Amino acid sequence: VQLQASGGGLVQAGDSLRLSCAASGRTFSNYVMGWFRQAPGKEREFVAEITWNLGSANYADSVKARFTISRNRAKNTVDLEMNTLKPEDTAVYYCAAKRSLSANYISWGQGTLVTVSS
């Protein structure tokens, strides 16, 4: 699976931003697509994930109610809508894929930088 993330940029606190991840290379039945982020000097952390078939989503507590993950099966894309952004959301955001909810993530995109100024 090849993943290409896009949509990062510089925004102000309180703004919204939409990231997109284009997936290719195979069919994605039963796959789970996720977003992670890594802030400067910190470890990479989970943000959200969604099951390809049913569209069931899970979120990190830090982004719940502010971020929304969605997938478009016709376009093979996974989006992350980020609202009410905070400076602590500043990070490189990565999309990733795994074969099932219980599996480890095995495919990673190149990352897109989101910078939120105060």
Side-chain angles (χ1 to χ4, degrees), residues 11-79:
V11 297
Q12 293 186 334
D15 284 352
S16 298
L17 197 62
R18 189 178 186 91
L19 305 182
S20 187
C21 178
S24 62
R26 59 158 295 136
T27 57
F28 304 109
S29 296
N30 300 318
Y31 263 60
V32 179
M33 313 297 281
W35 284 96
F36 289 74
R37 66 186 182 186
Q38 186 166 18
K42 295 187 177 181
E43 294 188 354
R44 185 166 56 192
E45 64 175 0
F46 168 78
V47 175
E49 65 184 7
I50 188 167
T51 59
W52 192 257
N53 282 346
L54 296 180
S56 300
N58 295 308
Y59 297 91
D61 288 343
S62 59
V63 306
K64 202 172 292 184
R66 297 190 298 124
F67 291 11
T68 302
I69 189 171
S70 61
R71 89 273 188 254
N72 185 318
R73 291 192 289 178
K75 295 183 178 180
N76 282 354
T77 58
V78 180
D79 289 354

Side-chain angles (χ1 to χ4, degrees), residues 79-101:
D79 289 354
L80 185 68
E81 178 73 27
M82 306 184 293
N83 298 315
T84 319
L85 283 162
K86 305 175 181 180
E88 52 263 44
D89 294 318
T90 295
V92 177
Y93 284 71
Y94 300 89
C95 58
K98 59 182 180 178
R99 292 194 176 99
S100 69
L101 281 170

